[in-house]
Amino acid sequence: MSSFAIEQIQEQMRQLKLVRTAEQLPLLLQDASKAEVSYSEFLAELLGRELAAKQERHTAMKTTMARFPFQKSLESFDFKFQPSIEPKIVRELATGRFLADADNVLLLGPPGVGKTHLAVALGLRACALGFRTAFITAAGLIASLTRAHNENRLEEKLKLLVQPKLLIIDEIGYLPLERLGANLFFQLVSRRYERGSILITSNQSLAGWGQVFGDQVIATAILDRLLHHSTIINIKGESYRLKEKRKAGLLTRSEPYTAPEGPAPPEHPPTAP
Ligand code: ADP
Ligand code: MG
């Protein structure tokens, strides 16, 4: 085939937005004629590559839109270090079935045990599976809801926050909420109920949520909706950060870990969606 003919096909492919295939066409044609593949095999290979490239682009776009604080995978999570987590349950979540059913996930445990790591890893899986995802800290979320409420555009904001199939809310419980914040959070949970999944990480056990929301009634109403269809993972182990410090010789094994008194400062600066 003349190089002019190939260039013409490449131009047509670009017009059809088959960008990756257009780039690879000369090489693909060369390989196909060397390996003497059939027309149908050649076409299958070409379309397969284009589909894979499209999928990759969609995942990358969803990942950017999700605004993760960092990227960590399930593969890099050391389950042996944290035996209170059943890998089977996390593997089930990684299939994304909970997203299709709009079920919720609660990751509870003390600081450093991998809650945010797992939340991000599951979020990245959700993006790869094609689900729209958003990551926000609890502090960032409440600030953004309160601003919207004060500026009379709460409805608009709630509509936006219902759109992602997975909403990850990191670090509930580090800061107690004011009455308005708790109320706005309740409204969000009600809106998303049975429509889209919420994944929450918290350093507080569920029994402590009354204090976090400053009101037992509202905490119960929130938990009622969150827990109706949900997976709860209670992480009971040691902080991974401390293990790393120990390895570096900064702590001795006999030095026990004691949780700081009162709420710890948030680990990631609040981000507005
Ligand atoms: P948490 O949100 O529970 O406070 P993080 O998820 O921020 O904890 O974990 C703290 C650090 O330790 C992160 O860098 C995280 O990647 C790492 N980490 C925690 N647990 C594990 C684990 N079991 N395997 C690998 N890395 C871990
Ligand atoms: Mg965290």
Side-chain angles (χ1 to χ4, degrees):
M1 190 179 276
S2 74
S3 64
F4 176 71
I6 294 177
E7 275 169 33
Q8 224 175 8
I9 299 172
Q10 283 178 303
E11 183 47 38
Q12 287 168 327
M13 284 181 156
R14 277 192 279 272
Q15 283 183 27
L16 285 166
K17 308 235 178 306
L18 304 174
V19 185
R20 177 76 67 95
T21 316
E23 265 170 34
Q24 297 178 342
L25 187 66
L27 210 69
L28 283 172
L29 284 168
Q30 219 176 50
D31 288 352
S33 69
K34 257 195 234 151
E36 294 181 11
V37 296
S38 66
Y39 293 129
S40 57
E41 279 168 339
F42 175 70
L43 204 56
E45 167 76 16
L46 190 132
L47 293 176
R49 278 169 182 254
E50 189 60 46
L51 274 175
K54 198 168 180 177
Q55 174 87 22
E56 239 174 70
R57 280 199 303 277
H58 283 176
T59 301
M61 199 195 297
K62 291 215 159 63
T63 305
T64 308
M65 280 171 61
R67 306 177 121 213
F68 296 112
F70 51 75
Q71 292 203 13
K72 295 233 167 141
S73 64
L74 286 177
E75 289 70 35
S76 69
F77 192 82
D78 181 1
F79 283 93
K80 282 199 202 80
F81 181 75
Q82 220 57 266
S84 63
I85 305 174
E86 260 191 68
K88 203 175 78 188
I89 293 181
V90 179
R91 273 203 300 275
E92 165 60 30
L93 293 174
T95 64
R97 272 190 283 268
F98 78 103
L99 296 164
D101 298 339
D103 290 357
N104 301 316
V105 179
L106 277 85
L107 297 174
L108 310 174
V113 293
K115 300 182 298 295
T116 307
H117 182 138
L118 284 175
V120 168
L122 288 170
L124 284 167
R125 277 292 298 155
C127 291
L129 290 167
F131 293 103
R132 208 165 142 183
T133 302
F135 181 106
I136 189 163
T137 61
L141 173 71
I142 300 300
S144 149
L145 282 171
T146 307
R147 213 166 34 242
H149 172 265
N150 293 342
E151 292 169 2
N152 250 331
R153 44 176 190 84
L154 180 63
E155 189 52 37
E156 203 182 303
K157 184 90 226 169
L158 286 171
K159 274 193 184 136
L160 278 178
L161 285 166
V162 171
Q163 282 173 7
K165 202 62 189 139
L166 174 61
L167 180 65
I168 301 175
I169 307 172
D170 197 26
E171 297 179 354
I172 287 258
Y174 278 93
L175 298 168
L177 298 181
E178 305 273 332
R179 193 170 191 82
L180 174 64
N183 191 295
L184 295 172
F185 188 81
F186 168 73
Q187 289 193 49
L188 173 66
V189 171
S190 300
R191 283 294 178 100
R192 288 189 62 89
Y193 178 63
E194 294 188 338
R195 279 195 214 163
S197 303
I198 300 182
L199 187 158
I200 285 183
T201 79
S202 179
N203 64 331
Q204 300 282 339
S205 68
L206 297 182
W209 279 35
Q211 250 183 333
V212 173
F213 291 97
D215 181 322
Q216 196 56 53
V217 176
I218 208 155
T220 307
I222 289 169
L223 281 176
D224 187 50
R225 282 154 184 80
L226 277 180
L227 301 185
H228 187 194
H229 312 280
S230 66
T231 301
I232 303 177
I233 300 182
N234 254 310
I235 314 177
K236 293 198 187 77
E238 190 191 7
S239 162
Y240 197 83
R241 291 193 193 100
L242 290 190
K243 173 200 127 153
E244 306 257 280
K245 273 197 184 157
R246 253 191 208 115
K247 244 183 19 201
L250 297 173
L251 281 177
T252 60
R253 180 130 303 274
S254 58
E255 222 173 315
Y257 169 69
T258 42
E261 287 286 314
E267 286 148 31
H268 312 292
T271 46

